[in-house]
Amino acid sequence: MAIDREKFPPLYRTVAANDAGLESHSYVPDGLDVLTSHPLNDAPGANPEQFIGLALSTCLNATLEAIEERRDLPHSSQVHTIVEMARDTRGFQFYLTAEVKIPGVDHETALAMVDLAERRCPVAKLIGDNDNVVVKLVTEFSAATPVEG
Amino acid sequence: MAIDREKFPPLYRTVAANDAGLESHSYVPDGLDVLTSHPLNDAPGANPEQFIGLALSTCLNATLEAIEERRDLPHSSQVHTIVEMARDTRGFQFYLTAEVKIPGVDHETALAMVDLAERRCPVAKLIGDNDNVVVKLVTEFSAATPVEG
């Protein structure tokens, strides 16, 4: 199962950094620079939960867009990933639910597209086998209200 | 191994969305809103590679910061995650190398801290078992130059 990396050299390389911890900022040299803060305080700032949710939503929807293009379908897919953080017996866990809406096609076609996207999207390849990660087709997105403190 | 989620209700919930595909923007409702673009074009914008790198760097360094605090050490850890994208027999793969620098402690202590952080950080728990993901202690960060097109 190991991939022959010599045969497939990198097409793209980037760096994402955090130097000062959670109450600081995370950045890509010469690129995105984002204020960060702990998810449970009121300070403005993004957090790891949001970054991994953005990774999955963007990657899955980019993959769906490519599938739509290949099938000559107009782009109608949307992906909203709900990320929950909870305690565990040791430390914390993140739980991801990627809700996919494809209003432009019938249910059967949409299901097949989600299944294919999950197998193609590189972020889903990294985390999709995890029990904490669910990708599902929906007709309406969940409300996903904040947890009351 | 399944986690009893009833016993550990969510402490935090957020949503991360992409509606219009890779050449658009990804956002957290009432939060971060980031221009996105394909990693291989010159348009400004972040991409899934950067989002997942930011997730791992921020989460690992937040975990290291907590470990430093618990040991009454000053914060000195930094995490730079190199993300590479390459073709595969089917589609694409992402490869992550999280380089961790902890200049404030001796090598042995730093190694033990990285090992603990890898087991505690929720993002590492999600992706760390994957063969494409490496977390390692370094004394200097790699140059990680862009791939020449």
Side-chain angles (χ1 to χ4, degrees):
Chain A
M1 273 297 285
I3 299 157
D4 183 353
R5 294 207 58 192
E6 300 258 319
K7 197 174 155 192
F8 301 107
L11 301 173
Y12 174 72
R13 181 181 296 120
T14 187
V15 180
N18 179 281
D19 295 332
L22 196 48
E23 302 295 332
S24 67
H25 72 126
S26 293
Y27 63 96
V28 174
D30 304 314
L32 191 62
D33 194 324
V34 181
L35 201 66
T36 57
S37 70
H38 195 290
L40 299 182
N41 73 22
D42 289 332
N47 49 53
E49 287 86 338
Q50 294 174 343
F51 290 135
I52 198 158
L54 290 167
L56 185 57
S57 286
T58 308
C59 190
L60 261 182
N61 208 26
T63 307
L64 285 163
E65 195 184 15
I67 294 169
E68 288 169 332
E69 262 173 41
R70 213 167 305 133
R71 298 183 177 193
D72 283 322
L73 295 166
H75 174 64
S76 77
S77 65
Q78 295 178 286
V79 182
H80 289 198
T81 299
I82 301 162
V83 185
E84 295 185 320
M85 182 266 279
R87 231 173 236 298
D88 186 7
T89 43
R90 200 173 209 172
F92 298 91
Q93 293 275 349
F94 290 175
Y95 299 91
L96 279 71
T97 306
E99 297 189 335
V100 182
K101 231 171 104 170
I102 319 180
V105 299
D106 64 77
H107 185 70
E108 201 104 323
T109 306
L111 275 179
M113 287 167 67
V114 172
D115 182 58
L116 184 60
E118 203 179 342
R119 283 179 288 125
R120 289 277 169 87
C121 158
V123 172
K125 286 178 187 172
L126 282 175
I127 64 175
D129 283 343
N130 200 293
D131 286 343
N132 292 14
V133 180
V134 174
V135 177
K136 64 178 183 188
L137 181 67
V138 299
T139 48
E140 292 301 332
F141 292 123
S142 305
T145 48
V147 176
E148 297 299 328
Chain B
M1 273 296 285
I3 298 157
D4 184 354
R5 294 208 58 192
E6 300 259 320
K7 195 173 156 191
F8 301 107
L11 300 172
Y12 175 71
R13 180 181 296 120
T14 187
V15 180
N18 179 282
D19 295 333
L22 196 48
E23 302 295 331
S24 67
H25 71 127
S26 293
Y27 63 96
V28 174
D30 304 313
L32 191 61
D33 193 324
V34 181
L35 201 67
T36 57
S37 70
H38 195 291
L40 298 182
N41 72 23
D42 289 334
N47 50 52
E49 288 87 337
Q50 293 173 343
F51 290 135
I52 198 158
L54 289 168
L56 185 57
S57 285
T58 309
C59 189
L60 261 182
N61 208 25
T63 307
L64 284 163
E65 195 183 14
I67 294 169
E68 288 169 333
E69 261 174 42
R70 212 168 305 133
R71 297 183 179 193
D72 282 320
L73 294 166
H75 173 64
S76 76
S77 65
Q78 295 178 287
V79 182
H80 289 199
T81 299
I82 301 162
V83 184
E84 295 185 320
M85 182 266 280
R87 231 173 236 299
D88 187 6
T89 44
R90 201 173 207 169
F92 298 91
Q93 292 276 349
F94 290 175
Y95 300 90
L96 279 70
T97 306
E99 297 189 336
V100 182
K101 232 170 105 170
I102 318 179
V105 299
D106 64 79
H107 184 72
E108 201 104 326
T109 306
L111 274 179
M113 287 168 68
V114 171
D115 182 59
L116 185 60
E118 204 179 341
R119 283 179 287 125
R120 289 276 168 88
C121 158
V123 172
K125 286 178 187 172
L126 283 174
I127 64 175
D129 283 342
N130 199 293
D131 285 342
N132 292 14
V133 180
V134 174
V135 177
K136 65 178 184 187
L137 181 68
V138 299
T139 46
E140 291 302 332
F141 292 123
S142 304
T145 49
V147 176
E148 295 301 327

